[in-house]
Amino acid sequence: GIQTHPSDESPPPAGEETEEERRMREEAESEALARQLMAEEAMASYDQSANFLQDHADQYSEEDLAALRAIMAEENPDVGEVEYDHDGDGEESIGMDSEEMSYEALLNLGERMGDVKSERWALRAKDEIAKLECKPYCKEMGEGKDENDSGVKCLVCQYAFGEAEMVRILPCGHYFHNECVDQWLMGKDACPYCRQCIVDSK
């Protein structure tokens, strides 16, 4: 007669996992590893951000530093606690939620630091722009220069300078139509052509 193989239908012996269990276990392990790597990366990023603040403290005013520290504290409420756990086995004390929150927040930290700097510039831009030299354009200023040279046309609007049009001259020597460059400088503290800062860093 037909021989049956009981082993084909019986569940696997204790201690052995089914294909489904093995797949789920591997998925869980992969996810755990990914979370661990994200947590480590987040902590490294946080440390790097903290170090950046420390190393570049002289480039930021007290208000900047206070704002940036507030952002870090607000968006990374658990990171401060984790930092103090490094002398023990700190990694085990990191909660998954705080890892994810910190990781998300840290992705935006560099951008927020840039935002704070931009906001600070916006407050003083008008005063700094007013200090820059301004004079009527004359054809001699563009003599012997190519038609695309910054001495012949405004590189912001791409239109040639007209005789007696008012131009603003930046510390780097480049000049532009007043209204063109003033609008640019309200958001940036550097020449739109060569990127040299318009404020003396001393």
Side-chain angles (χ1 to χ4, degrees):
I2 297 171
Q3 289 189 340
T4 56
H5 298 280
S7 61
D8 288 350
E9 295 175 18
S10 61
E16 284 187 29
E17 58 187 358
T18 64
E19 187 69 25
E20 178 69 9
E21 286 171 340
R22 184 179 66 80
R23 187 177 63 76
M24 289 176 69
R25 177 178 57 81
E26 287 177 354
E27 274 182 18
E29 285 172 358
S30 297
E31 188 179 343
L33 179 61
R35 283 175 180 273
Q36 184 186 339
L37 291 172
M38 280 175 67
E40 287 171 3
E41 186 179 339
M43 284 307 301
S45 299
Y46 181 85
D47 289 341
Q48 195 173 9
S49 299
N51 291 339
F52 179 88
L53 278 186
Q54 202 168 352
D55 295 344
H56 296 81
D58 59 329
Q59 295 177 20
Y60 292 89
S61 67
E62 278 305 313
E63 291 91 337
D64 287 340
L65 293 172
L68 291 169
R69 287 193 189 106
I71 290 167
M72 290 171 77
E74 177 192 321
E75 297 189 354
N76 299 274
D78 301 293
V79 174
E81 296 170 23
V82 172
E83 277 192 298
Y84 299 109
D85 289 333
H86 283 317
D87 50 346
D89 16 275
E91 286 185 25
E92 291 179 11
S93 65
I94 303 172
M96 281 298 173
D97 289 342
S98 68
E99 285 168 15
E100 287 168 7
M101 278 197 308
S102 300
Y103 186 69
E104 287 302 316
L106 287 162
L107 291 176
N108 298 323
L109 185 61
E111 190 178 323
R112 291 288 291 274
M113 288 173 80
D115 288 345
V116 170
K117 201 172 177 187
S118 297
E119 286 163 18
R120 298 286 302 165
W121 171 249
L123 296 175
R124 55 188 285 227
K126 202 171 282 187
D127 291 338
E128 295 297 342
I129 292 168
K131 294 176 189 175
L132 300 171
E133 186 185 353
C134 196
K135 70 178 188 180
Y137 180 82
C138 59
K139 286 195 165 64
E140 288 74 24
M141 292 167 71
E143 267 185 6
K145 294 178 179 174
D146 179 82
E147 62 177 15
N148 290 315
D149 191 272
S150 63
V152 176
K153 74 174 184 180
C154 172
L155 295 178
V156 175
C157 70
Q158 299 295 313
Y159 282 98
F161 296 116
E163 187 71 23
E165 270 190 310
M166 294 303 291
V167 295
R168 196 175 292 287
I169 302 170
L170 307 192
C172 54
H174 295 121
Y175 41 91
F176 309 86
H177 288 127
N178 275 15
E179 61 275 16
C180 296
V181 79
D182 287 6
Q183 191 175 347
W184 164 273
L185 292 173
M186 285 303 293
K188 310 272 185 187
D189 64 355
C191 169
Y193 183 51
C194 70
R195 306 299 186 200
Q196 180 180 317
C197 184
I198 66 164
V199 182
D200 193 343
S201 58
K202 288 178 199 170

